[in-house]
Amino acid sequence: MPIATRHRMPVLGIAAAGILAWLYMPILSKLVSLWFQEPEYAQGIVLTVLASYLVWDRRNAPCWFQMVEEPVCWRGSWIIIITGLLLLTIGHAATEFFSQRISFFIVLWGLIAYGMGPQAISILWEPAVLMMMAVPLPAIVVDTITLPLKTLVSILAAAMLHVSGYSVVRYGNILDISGFHLEVVSACSGIRSFFALLAITIVLSAGMRSIFSRLSLFFLLVPVVILSNALRIVSTAALSLRFPAHSVEFYDGFAGWAAFLGAFGFIVGVRMAIDRLSVARKGRE
């Protein structure tokens, strides 16, 4: 790179940071306020911490120093930057907050890729995905995903209760268990635990070199979430029928935590098993 261009890079970096602050400060301040004020979106704080940890963990990558000393000025990054700016424009025009918020992380990723080159995509895709997951999805998207999940969890829970010896009649997302009515609400669909476990899986898969192993870990998420939430419904119903002194919400709270911890333990166990298989395979070679 010419010396004059290299000397202009700090100035360009400061200018880019200033433009980003001017464009996105109002948007980001409202997003952060949403994380702290609404418990439903508090996972954004955790996801930000996890993304920051992954970036810090890769701080010694050679391309970081190259970005400062001799930036690549990758032209392909302009596709990412322009895509982010288009989302910002569309979001402003339609008064749609999701597009505006997620555009910041896309533009930031593009600016880093401009200095680091294509390596930025392979090195920073996990932190970038985590930060995009911290942006609340539009309500219409959440409802579209939640409804079939609730139905599937209800069907599976009814089948498991029937096998366990309970008389169950299902009306949509309502289970009639020997005269006791239990509704499978949105919180029991598994949508929240899915995104939380997806973030954990991204962090756990960060050190895995095999693409097949990574995909195997991700593909397990959906059935694990559905099964764990069905077990949550089954255990809540069983406890409520056997010990009616407490409310359904009381049992469901404990069952929810147990289901999440069980799914988390299963994902971690699969990750450890994959590591052991890799070590055993290397030992044979």
Side-chain angles (χ1 to χ4, degrees), residues 14-77:
I14 295 173
I19 294 172
L20 280 179
W22 176 67
L23 285 174
Y24 290 102
M25 189 58 69
I27 299 171
L28 293 178
S29 61
K30 291 180 181 179
L31 176 60
V32 174
S33 299
L34 191 66
W35 291 344
F36 283 96
Q37 293 174 4
E38 298 291 338
E40 185 178 356
Y41 305 119
Q43 71 270 13
I45 303 170
V46 179
L47 292 173
T48 302
V49 173
L50 290 175
S52 302
Y53 164 75
L54 289 179
V55 173
W56 174 257
D57 187 57
R58 297 161 192 185
R59 65 190 182 277
N60 294 323
C63 50
W64 284 110
F65 303 100
Q66 183 180 8
M67 182 174 67
V68 177
E69 298 176 0
E70 190 175 348
V72 176
C73 299
W74 182 44
R75 294 181 181 179
S77 63

Side-chain angles (χ1 to χ4, degrees), residues 275-285:
D275 284 344
R276 290 174 182 173
L277 287 173
S278 300
V279 172
R281 193 175 300 141
K282 289 180 180 178
R284 292 170 188 170
E285 294 176 354

Side-chain angles (χ1 to χ4, degrees), residues 113-152:
Y114 180 76
M116 292 176 61
Q119 289 181 332
I121 296 176
S122 60
I123 292 178
L124 297 177
W125 76 266
E126 294 105 332
V129 171
L130 287 175
M131 290 310 304
M132 291 178 191
M133 288 172 54
V135 178
L137 291 170
I140 187 173
V141 176
V142 175
D143 293 339
T144 303
I145 299 173
T146 301
L147 183 58
L149 276 177
K150 284 196 298 183
T151 302
L152 189 56

Side-chain angles (χ1 to χ4, degrees), residues 64-282:
W64 284 110
F65 303 100
Q66 183 180 8
M67 182 174 67
V68 177
E69 298 176 0
E70 190 175 348
V72 176
C73 299
W74 182 44
R75 294 181 181 179
S77 63
W78 283 106
I79 299 174
I80 304 174
I81 297 171
I82 292 172
T83 300
L85 294 175
L86 283 174
L87 283 174
L88 176 64
T89 305
I90 294 170
H92 271 297
T95 318
E96 199 275 308
F97 298 111
F98 176 77
S99 299
Q100 298 178 44
R101 292 164 178 167
I102 205 169
S103 69
F104 169 76
F105 301 109
I106 295 176
V107 171
L108 180 62
W109 195 22
L111 289 173
I112 295 175
Y114 180 76
M116 292 176 61
Q119 289 181 332
I121 296 176
S122 60
I123 292 178
L124 297 177
W125 76 266
E126 294 105 332
V129 171
L130 287 175
M131 290 310 304
M132 291 178 191
M133 288 172 54
V135 178
L137 291 170
I140 187 173
V141 176
V142 175
D143 293 339
T144 303
I145 299 173
T146 301
L147 183 58
L149 276 177
K150 284 196 298 183
T151 302
L152 189 56
V153 169
S154 301
I155 294 172
L156 185 57
M160 295 170 72
L161 285 167
H162 181 73
V163 171
S164 301
Y166 293 94
S167 177
V168 184
V169 179
R170 186 178 66 87
Y171 304 98
N173 297 326
I174 298 177
L175 304 180
D176 185 346
I177 312 165
S178 303
F180 171 75
H181 290 79
L182 182 64
E183 181 181 1
V184 180
V185 297
S186 298
C188 300
S189 65
I191 187 68
R192 294 182 187 176
S193 57
F194 171 77
F195 283 109
L197 288 169
L198 178 59
I200 293 170
T201 304
I202 290 173
V203 175
L204 289 175
S205 65
M208 301 173 71
R209 296 183 178 180
S210 172
I211 297 177
F212 177 77
S213 299
R214 284 189 175 191
L215 291 177
S216 300
L217 206 60
F218 283 110
F219 282 138
L220 280 173
L221 270 182
V222 175
V224 166
V225 169
I226 293 174
L227 180 60
S228 63
N229 279 274
L231 288 171
R232 171 184 180 177
I233 300 299
V234 171
S235 59
T236 299
L239 289 171
S240 298
L241 289 169
R242 188 170 181 81
F243 306 103
H246 297 284
S247 64
V248 175
E249 290 78 9
F250 176 81
Y251 294 121
D252 185 61
F254 285 103
W257 276 108
F260 178 80
L261 291 175
F264 170 74
F266 181 81
I267 294 296
V268 172
V270 172
R271 174 69 170 87
M272 294 173 65
I274 291 174
D275 284 344
R276 290 174 182 173
L277 287 173
S278 300
V279 172
R281 193 175 300 141
K282 289 180 180 178

